Amino acid sequence: MTPERPNTLPKEERLHGKTGITALMEKGHWCTEGHLKYCYKAGNDCSREGEPYCRIIASVPKKIFKRAVKRNLLKRRIRESYRTRKGILCGKDMDILFVYSSSEIATSEQLGSEMEAILNTLATK
């Protein structure tokens, strides 16, 4: 995270590609916090000029929310709550998968407080 643009989420900080996601789901550790389940794996095997950074991916199951509008809303809220609080993980190098696991639509404030608890937990690991 650079001091000039602390609250951005560039493409290099987003987890994409089948191999990266598969490795995370096979070797990662699963936990739950409120509306979110998350899987994390330390060391993301990528480098950005030697500076450690985290990569994330957000998922909302189609089985729970049939309409894409609601799924996209929740994914936007998850990414936004991470983006504004990612400074907590400063200096960490990990991949994180967030899966929305509740059948009700959470507010941005609820997701923000849950995200803060998750990131504080991950910062200690």
Side-chain angles (χ1 to χ4, degrees), residues 21 25 30 35-38 56-81 96-106 111 114-115:
I21 296 170
M25 295 190 67
W30 286 90
H35 295 92
L36 295 171
K37 283 175 53 176
Y38 61 99
I56 68 155
I57 187 168
S59 174
V60 179
K62 191 174 185 178
K63 188 174 186 177
I64 298 174
F65 292 101
K66 304 292 185 198
R67 298 283 182 177
V69 174
K70 292 180 182 179
R71 291 195 308 271
N72 292 338
L73 170 75
L74 290 168
K75 285 191 279 189
R76 259 195 323 272
R77 286 182 180 175
I78 292 169
R79 285 192 303 263
E80 178 70 10
S81 62
I96 310 168
L97 163 69
F98 296 105
V99 180
Y100 194 84
S101 61
S102 176
S103 61
E104 61 185 35
I105 296 178
L111 285 175
E114 292 170 7
M115 184 65 67

Short mmCIF file of all heavy atoms in Angstrom, two decimals, residues 21 25 30 35-38 56-81 96-106 111 114-115:
data_model
loop_
_atom_site.label_atom_id
_atom_site.label_comp_id
_atom_site.label_asym_id
_atom_site.label_seq_id
_atom_site.Cartn_x
_atom_site.Cartn_y
_atom_site.Cartn_z
N ILE A 21 -6.96 -19.07 -7.31
CA ILE A 21 -8.16 -19.34 -6.51
C ILE A 21 -8.17 -20.78 -6.03
O ILE A 21 -8.50 -21.07 -4.87
CB ILE A 21 -9.42 -19.00 -7.32
CG1 ILE A 21 -9.46 -17.50 -7.63
CG2 ILE A 21 -10.68 -19.42 -6.58
CD1 ILE A 21 -10.52 -17.10 -8.63
N MET A 25 -8.19 -22.08 -2.09
CA MET A 25 -9.25 -22.92 -1.52
C MET A 25 -8.71 -24.26 -1.02
O MET A 25 -9.24 -24.82 -0.07
CB MET A 25 -10.37 -23.11 -2.53
CG MET A 25 -11.06 -21.79 -2.82
SD MET A 25 -12.55 -21.91 -3.75
CE MET A 25 -13.63 -22.74 -2.63
N TRP A 30 -10.25 -21.67 6.74
CA TRP A 30 -11.60 -21.10 6.71
C TRP A 30 -12.02 -20.62 8.09
O TRP A 30 -11.77 -21.28 9.08
CB TRP A 30 -12.60 -22.14 6.22
CG TRP A 30 -12.51 -22.40 4.76
CD1 TRP A 30 -11.74 -23.34 4.14
CD2 TRP A 30 -13.20 -21.71 3.73
NE1 TRP A 30 -11.91 -23.27 2.79
CE2 TRP A 30 -12.81 -22.28 2.50
CE3 TRP A 30 -14.11 -20.66 3.71
CZ2 TRP A 30 -13.30 -21.83 1.27
CZ3 TRP A 30 -14.60 -20.22 2.50
CH2 TRP A 30 -14.19 -20.80 1.30
N HIS A 35 -21.92 -12.19 8.70
CA HIS A 35 -22.48 -12.56 7.40
C HIS A 35 -21.44 -13.16 6.46
O HIS A 35 -21.79 -13.63 5.38
CB HIS A 35 -23.09 -11.33 6.72
CG HIS A 35 -24.26 -10.76 7.43
ND1 HIS A 35 -24.15 -9.74 8.36
CD2 HIS A 35 -25.58 -11.05 7.36
CE1 HIS A 35 -25.33 -9.44 8.83
NE2 HIS A 35 -26.23 -10.22 8.24
N LEU A 36 -20.18 -13.11 6.83
CA LEU A 36 -19.11 -13.50 5.92
C LEU A 36 -18.36 -14.75 6.38
O LEU A 36 -18.04 -14.89 7.55
CB LEU A 36 -18.09 -12.36 5.78
CG LEU A 36 -18.59 -11.07 5.15
CD1 LEU A 36 -17.53 -9.99 5.29
CD2 LEU A 36 -18.92 -11.29 3.70
N LYS A 37 -18.09 -15.63 5.43
CA LYS A 37 -17.11 -16.70 5.61
C LYS A 37 -15.89 -16.23 4.84
O LYS A 37 -16.02 -15.58 3.80
CB LYS A 37 -17.61 -18.01 5.01
CG LYS A 37 -18.64 -18.71 5.84
CD LYS A 37 -19.19 -19.93 5.14
CE LYS A 37 -18.15 -20.89 4.66
NZ LYS A 37 -18.72 -22.11 4.07
N TYR A 38 -14.72 -16.54 5.35
CA TYR A 38 -13.52 -16.13 4.62
C TYR A 38 -12.46 -17.21 4.69
O TYR A 38 -12.41 -18.00 5.62
CB TYR A 38 -12.99 -14.79 5.13
CG TYR A 38 -12.57 -14.76 6.58
CD1 TYR A 38 -11.24 -14.89 6.94
CD2 TYR A 38 -13.51 -14.59 7.60
CE1 TYR A 38 -10.85 -14.86 8.27
CE2 TYR A 38 -13.13 -14.55 8.92
CZ TYR A 38 -11.80 -14.68 9.25
OH TYR A 38 -11.41 -14.65 10.57
N ILE A 56 -7.54 -10.00 -2.91
CA ILE A 56 -8.85 -10.45 -2.42
C ILE A 56 -9.76 -10.83 -3.58
O ILE A 56 -9.54 -10.44 -4.73
CB ILE A 56 -9.56 -9.37 -1.57
CG1 ILE A 56 -9.98 -8.18 -2.42
CG2 ILE A 56 -8.70 -8.94 -0.43
CD1 ILE A 56 -11.12 -7.41 -1.87
N ILE A 57 -10.79 -11.60 -3.24
CA ILE A 57 -11.87 -11.90 -4.16
C ILE A 57 -13.14 -12.00 -3.31
O ILE A 57 -13.11 -12.49 -2.18
CB ILE A 57 -11.61 -13.19 -4.96
CG1 ILE A 57 -12.67 -13.39 -6.01
CG2 ILE A 57 -11.49 -14.38 -4.05
CD1 ILE A 57 -12.34 -14.48 -7.02
N ALA A 58 -14.24 -11.49 -3.84
CA ALA A 58 -15.53 -11.52 -3.14
C ALA A 58 -16.49 -12.41 -3.93
O ALA A 58 -16.54 -12.35 -5.16
CB ALA A 58 -16.10 -10.12 -3.00
N SER A 59 -17.27 -13.22 -3.21
CA SER A 59 -18.20 -14.14 -3.85
C SER A 59 -19.53 -14.12 -3.11
O SER A 59 -19.56 -14.12 -1.88
CB SER A 59 -17.61 -15.54 -3.84
OG SER A 59 -18.55 -16.46 -4.33
N VAL A 60 -20.61 -14.09 -3.88
CA VAL A 60 -21.95 -14.19 -3.32
C VAL A 60 -22.64 -15.32 -4.08
O VAL A 60 -22.79 -15.25 -5.30
CB VAL A 60 -22.74 -12.87 -3.47
CG1 VAL A 60 -24.14 -13.01 -2.90
CG2 VAL A 60 -22.00 -11.73 -2.80
N PRO A 61 -23.05 -16.39 -3.39
CA PRO A 61 -23.60 -17.56 -4.08
C PRO A 61 -24.92 -17.29 -4.78
O PRO A 61 -25.82 -16.64 -4.25
CB PRO A 61 -23.81 -18.57 -2.96
CG PRO A 61 -23.04 -18.07 -1.81
CD PRO A 61 -22.91 -16.61 -1.96
N LYS A 62 -25.03 -17.83 -5.98
CA LYS A 62 -26.26 -17.72 -6.75
C LYS A 62 -27.37 -18.54 -6.11
O LYS A 62 -28.55 -18.26 -6.29
CB LYS A 62 -25.99 -18.21 -8.17
CG LYS A 62 -27.10 -17.92 -9.15
CD LYS A 62 -26.67 -18.32 -10.54
CE LYS A 62 -27.71 -17.94 -11.56
NZ LYS A 62 -27.27 -18.30 -12.92
N LYS A 63 -27.00 -19.53 -5.34
CA LYS A 63 -27.99 -20.37 -4.66
C LYS A 63 -28.79 -19.56 -3.63
O LYS A 63 -29.96 -19.83 -3.39
CB LYS A 63 -27.28 -21.53 -3.97
CG LYS A 63 -28.18 -22.57 -3.39
CD LYS A 63 -27.39 -23.75 -2.88
CE LYS A 63 -28.29 -24.87 -2.42
NZ LYS A 63 -27.52 -26.03 -1.99
N ILE A 64 -28.14 -18.57 -3.01
CA ILE A 64 -28.81 -17.76 -1.99
C ILE A 64 -29.53 -16.57 -2.62
O ILE A 64 -30.67 -16.27 -2.28
CB ILE A 64 -27.80 -17.28 -0.93
CG1 ILE A 64 -27.18 -18.47 -0.22
CG2 ILE A 64 -28.47 -16.35 0.08
CD1 ILE A 64 -26.07 -18.12 0.75
N PHE A 65 -28.85 -15.87 -3.54
CA PHE A 65 -29.43 -14.70 -4.21
C PHE A 65 -29.52 -14.97 -5.70
O PHE A 65 -28.52 -14.97 -6.40
CB PHE A 65 -28.57 -13.45 -3.95
CG PHE A 65 -28.59 -13.00 -2.52
CD1 PHE A 65 -27.54 -13.31 -1.68
CD2 PHE A 65 -29.66 -12.30 -2.01
CE1 PHE A 65 -27.55 -12.91 -0.36
CE2 PHE A 65 -29.69 -11.90 -0.69
CZ PHE A 65 -28.63 -12.20 0.14
N LYS A 66 -30.72 -15.20 -6.17
CA LYS A 66 -30.94 -15.55 -7.58
C LYS A 66 -30.69 -14.37 -8.51
O LYS A 66 -30.22 -14.55 -9.62
CB LYS A 66 -32.36 -16.06 -7.79
CG LYS A 66 -32.74 -17.23 -6.92
CD LYS A 66 -31.98 -18.46 -7.29
CE LYS A 66 -32.50 -19.64 -6.46
NZ LYS A 66 -31.58 -20.73 -6.44
N ARG A 67 -31.01 -13.18 -8.07
CA ARG A 67 -30.89 -11.99 -8.91
C ARG A 67 -29.47 -11.44 -8.89
O ARG A 67 -28.90 -11.20 -7.83
CB ARG A 67 -31.85 -10.90 -8.44
CG ARG A 67 -33.30 -11.27 -8.51
CD ARG A 67 -33.77 -11.19 -9.92
NE ARG A 67 -35.19 -11.51 -10.00
CZ ARG A 67 -35.86 -11.47 -11.11
NH1 ARG A 67 -35.28 -11.12 -12.23
NH2 ARG A 67 -37.12 -11.78 -11.13
N ALA A 68 -28.93 -11.20 -10.07
CA ALA A 68 -27.57 -10.68 -10.20
C ALA A 68 -27.43 -9.29 -9.57
O ALA A 68 -26.36 -8.94 -9.09
CB ALA A 68 -27.15 -10.63 -11.67
N VAL A 69 -28.51 -8.52 -9.58
CA VAL A 69 -28.46 -7.17 -9.01
C VAL A 69 -28.10 -7.22 -7.53
O VAL A 69 -27.24 -6.47 -7.05
CB VAL A 69 -29.82 -6.45 -9.21
CG1 VAL A 69 -29.85 -5.13 -8.50
CG2 VAL A 69 -30.10 -6.27 -10.68
N LYS A 70 -28.71 -8.14 -6.79
CA LYS A 70 -28.43 -8.27 -5.36
C LYS A 70 -27.03 -8.83 -5.13
O LYS A 70 -26.32 -8.39 -4.22
CB LYS A 70 -29.48 -9.16 -4.69
CG LYS A 70 -30.84 -8.51 -4.64
CD LYS A 70 -31.85 -9.41 -3.98
CE LYS A 70 -33.21 -8.76 -3.98
NZ LYS A 70 -34.22 -9.63 -3.35
N ARG A 71 -26.62 -9.81 -5.94
CA ARG A 71 -25.27 -10.35 -5.80
C ARG A 71 -24.22 -9.28 -6.06
O ARG A 71 -23.25 -9.16 -5.31
CB ARG A 71 -25.06 -11.53 -6.77
CG ARG A 71 -25.85 -12.76 -6.43
CD ARG A 71 -25.36 -13.99 -7.17
NE ARG A 71 -25.26 -13.83 -8.60
CZ ARG A 71 -26.24 -14.07 -9.47
NH1 ARG A 71 -27.42 -14.45 -9.03
NH2 ARG A 71 -26.05 -13.93 -10.76
N ASN A 72 -24.41 -8.50 -7.09
CA ASN A 72 -23.46 -7.44 -7.41
C ASN A 72 -23.43 -6.37 -6.33
O ASN A 72 -22.36 -5.84 -6.00
CB ASN A 72 -23.77 -6.82 -8.76
CG ASN A 72 -23.53 -7.78 -9.90
OD1 ASN A 72 -22.78 -8.74 -9.76
ND2 ASN A 72 -24.17 -7.54 -11.03
N LEU A 73 -24.59 -6.04 -5.75
CA LEU A 73 -24.65 -5.07 -4.66
C LEU A 73 -23.82 -5.53 -3.48
O LEU A 73 -23.01 -4.77 -2.93
CB LEU A 73 -26.11 -4.87 -4.23
CG LEU A 73 -26.33 -4.07 -2.94
CD1 LEU A 73 -26.10 -2.59 -3.20
CD2 LEU A 73 -27.71 -4.32 -2.39
N LEU A 74 -23.98 -6.78 -3.10
CA LEU A 74 -23.24 -7.31 -1.96
C LEU A 74 -21.74 -7.41 -2.25
O LEU A 74 -20.92 -7.11 -1.38
CB LEU A 74 -23.81 -8.66 -1.55
CG LEU A 74 -25.19 -8.57 -0.90
CD1 LEU A 74 -25.82 -9.94 -0.77
CD2 LEU A 74 -25.10 -7.89 0.45
N LYS A 75 -21.37 -7.80 -3.46
CA LYS A 75 -19.95 -7.85 -3.81
C LYS A 75 -19.33 -6.45 -3.77
O LYS A 75 -18.21 -6.28 -3.29
CB LYS A 75 -19.75 -8.48 -5.18
CG LYS A 75 -19.94 -9.98 -5.17
CD LYS A 75 -19.49 -10.62 -6.46
CE LYS A 75 -20.55 -10.48 -7.52
NZ LYS A 75 -20.25 -11.27 -8.73
N ARG A 76 -20.07 -5.46 -4.26
CA ARG A 76 -19.59 -4.07 -4.19
C ARG A 76 -19.40 -3.63 -2.75
O ARG A 76 -18.40 -2.99 -2.41
CB ARG A 76 -20.59 -3.13 -4.87
CG ARG A 76 -20.22 -2.71 -6.25
CD ARG A 76 -21.03 -1.52 -6.75
NE ARG A 76 -22.41 -1.50 -6.33
CZ ARG A 76 -23.42 -2.07 -6.99
NH1 ARG A 76 -23.20 -2.75 -8.09
NH2 ARG A 76 -24.65 -1.97 -6.55
N ARG A 77 -20.35 -3.96 -1.89
CA ARG A 77 -20.25 -3.58 -0.47
C ARG A 77 -19.07 -4.27 0.21
O ARG A 77 -18.39 -3.67 1.03
CB ARG A 77 -21.55 -3.91 0.26
CG ARG A 77 -22.66 -2.95 -0.09
CD ARG A 77 -23.92 -3.26 0.68
NE ARG A 77 -24.97 -2.32 0.31
CZ ARG A 77 -26.21 -2.40 0.74
NH1 ARG A 77 -26.58 -3.37 1.56
NH2 ARG A 77 -27.10 -1.50 0.37
N ILE A 78 -18.83 -5.53 -0.11
CA ILE A 78 -17.70 -6.26 0.47
C ILE A 78 -16.38 -5.62 0.03
O ILE A 78 -15.50 -5.36 0.85
CB ILE A 78 -17.75 -7.75 0.09
CG1 ILE A 78 -18.93 -8.44 0.76
CG2 ILE A 78 -16.44 -8.45 0.46
CD1 ILE A 78 -19.22 -9.83 0.23
N ARG A 79 -16.24 -5.36 -1.27
CA ARG A 79 -15.01 -4.75 -1.77
C ARG A 79 -14.79 -3.36 -1.19
O ARG A 79 -13.68 -2.98 -0.85
CB ARG A 79 -15.02 -4.69 -3.30
CG ARG A 79 -14.77 -6.02 -3.97
CD ARG A 79 -14.49 -5.86 -5.45
NE ARG A 79 -15.55 -5.19 -6.16
CZ ARG A 79 -16.53 -5.79 -6.83
NH1 ARG A 79 -16.56 -7.11 -6.90
NH2 ARG A 79 -17.46 -5.10 -7.45
N GLU A 80 -15.86 -2.60 -1.08
CA GLU A 80 -15.75 -1.24 -0.54
C GLU A 80 -15.35 -1.26 0.93
O GLU A 80 -14.51 -0.47 1.37
CB GLU A 80 -17.08 -0.50 -0.71
CG GLU A 80 -17.11 0.90 -0.15
CD GLU A 80 -16.26 1.88 -0.93
OE1 GLU A 80 -15.77 1.55 -2.02
OE2 GLU A 80 -16.06 3.00 -0.43
N SER A 81 -15.94 -2.16 1.71
CA SER A 81 -15.59 -2.23 3.12
C SER A 81 -14.13 -2.69 3.29
O SER A 81 -13.44 -2.21 4.19
CB SER A 81 -16.54 -3.14 3.89
OG SER A 81 -16.48 -4.45 3.41
N ILE A 96 -7.05 -13.59 0.15
CA ILE A 96 -8.25 -13.71 0.97
C ILE A 96 -9.46 -13.87 0.05
O ILE A 96 -9.61 -13.13 -0.92
CB ILE A 96 -8.46 -12.48 1.86
CG1 ILE A 96 -7.20 -12.14 2.64
CG2 ILE A 96 -9.63 -12.69 2.81
CD1 ILE A 96 -7.23 -10.78 3.31
N LEU A 97 -10.32 -14.82 0.38
CA LEU A 97 -11.59 -15.03 -0.31
C LEU A 97 -12.71 -14.73 0.68
O LEU A 97 -12.74 -15.29 1.77
CB LEU A 97 -11.71 -16.48 -0.78
CG LEU A 97 -13.09 -17.01 -1.16
CD1 LEU A 97 -13.60 -16.33 -2.42
CD2 LEU A 97 -13.08 -18.50 -1.34
N PHE A 98 -13.61 -13.81 0.32
CA PHE A 98 -14.77 -13.49 1.14
C PHE A 98 -16.00 -14.10 0.48
O PHE A 98 -16.27 -13.84 -0.69
CB PHE A 98 -14.97 -11.97 1.27
CG PHE A 98 -13.84 -11.28 1.98
CD1 PHE A 98 -12.93 -10.52 1.26
CD2 PHE A 98 -13.69 -11.37 3.35
CE1 PHE A 98 -11.89 -9.88 1.90
CE2 PHE A 98 -12.65 -10.74 3.99
CZ PHE A 98 -11.75 -9.98 3.26
N VAL A 99 -16.75 -14.90 1.24
CA VAL A 99 -17.98 -15.52 0.73
C VAL A 99 -19.13 -15.04 1.61
O VAL A 99 -19.10 -15.24 2.83
CB VAL A 99 -17.90 -17.06 0.75
CG1 VAL A 99 -19.19 -17.67 0.23
CG2 VAL A 99 -16.72 -17.54 -0.05
N TYR A 100 -20.12 -14.44 0.98
CA TYR A 100 -21.30 -13.98 1.73
C TYR A 100 -22.15 -15.19 2.04
O TYR A 100 -22.51 -15.95 1.14
CB TYR A 100 -22.07 -12.95 0.89
CG TYR A 100 -23.09 -12.20 1.69
CD1 TYR A 100 -22.73 -11.10 2.43
CD2 TYR A 100 -24.42 -12.61 1.71
CE1 TYR A 100 -23.67 -10.40 3.17
CE2 TYR A 100 -25.36 -11.92 2.45
CZ TYR A 100 -24.97 -10.82 3.18
OH TYR A 100 -25.89 -10.15 3.92
N SER A 101 -22.52 -15.39 3.31
CA SER A 101 -23.18 -16.64 3.69
C SER A 101 -24.54 -16.47 4.35
O SER A 101 -25.08 -17.43 4.88
CB SER A 101 -22.27 -17.44 4.63
OG SER A 101 -22.01 -16.69 5.79
N SER A 102 -25.11 -15.29 4.32
CA SER A 102 -26.40 -15.07 4.94
C SER A 102 -27.47 -14.88 3.87
O SER A 102 -27.17 -14.47 2.75
CB SER A 102 -26.34 -13.82 5.83
OG SER A 102 -27.60 -13.53 6.37
N SER A 103 -28.72 -15.15 4.21
CA SER A 103 -29.80 -14.98 3.24
C SER A 103 -30.42 -13.59 3.30
O SER A 103 -31.30 -13.28 2.50
CB SER A 103 -30.88 -16.03 3.48
OG SER A 103 -31.41 -15.88 4.78
N GLU A 104 -29.97 -12.76 4.22
CA GLU A 104 -30.46 -11.38 4.28
C GLU A 104 -29.40 -10.42 3.76
O GLU A 104 -28.20 -10.71 3.83
CB GLU A 104 -30.84 -11.01 5.72
CG GLU A 104 -29.68 -11.07 6.68
CD GLU A 104 -30.08 -10.81 8.11
OE1 GLU A 104 -31.19 -11.21 8.49
OE2 GLU A 104 -29.26 -10.21 8.82
N ILE A 105 -29.83 -9.29 3.24
CA ILE A 105 -28.89 -8.31 2.69
C ILE A 105 -28.41 -7.42 3.83
O ILE A 105 -29.21 -6.72 4.47
CB ILE A 105 -29.56 -7.47 1.59
CG1 ILE A 105 -29.92 -8.37 0.43
CG2 ILE A 105 -28.64 -6.35 1.14
CD1 ILE A 105 -30.63 -7.68 -0.70
N ALA A 106 -27.12 -7.45 4.08
CA ALA A 106 -26.53 -6.66 5.16
C ALA A 106 -26.27 -5.23 4.69
O ALA A 106 -26.01 -4.99 3.51
CB ALA A 106 -25.22 -7.29 5.61
N LEU A 111 -21.45 -4.77 7.27
CA LEU A 111 -20.31 -5.40 6.59
C LEU A 111 -19.00 -4.72 6.97
O LEU A 111 -17.97 -5.38 7.09
CB LEU A 111 -20.51 -5.36 5.08
CG LEU A 111 -21.51 -6.36 4.52
CD1 LEU A 111 -21.71 -6.14 3.04
CD2 LEU A 111 -21.07 -7.77 4.78
N GLU A 114 -17.95 -6.00 10.43
CA GLU A 114 -17.49 -7.39 10.32
C GLU A 114 -16.14 -7.45 9.61
O GLU A 114 -15.26 -8.23 10.00
CB GLU A 114 -18.52 -8.22 9.56
CG GLU A 114 -19.80 -8.42 10.35
CD GLU A 114 -20.92 -9.03 9.53
OE1 GLU A 114 -20.67 -9.43 8.37
OE2 GLU A 114 -22.04 -9.10 10.05
N MET A 115 -15.96 -6.63 8.58
CA MET A 115 -14.70 -6.60 7.85
C MET A 115 -13.56 -6.13 8.75
O MET A 115 -12.46 -6.67 8.71
CB MET A 115 -14.81 -5.68 6.63
CG MET A 115 -13.59 -5.66 5.76
SD MET A 115 -13.22 -7.23 4.95
CE MET A 115 -14.59 -7.38 3.84
#
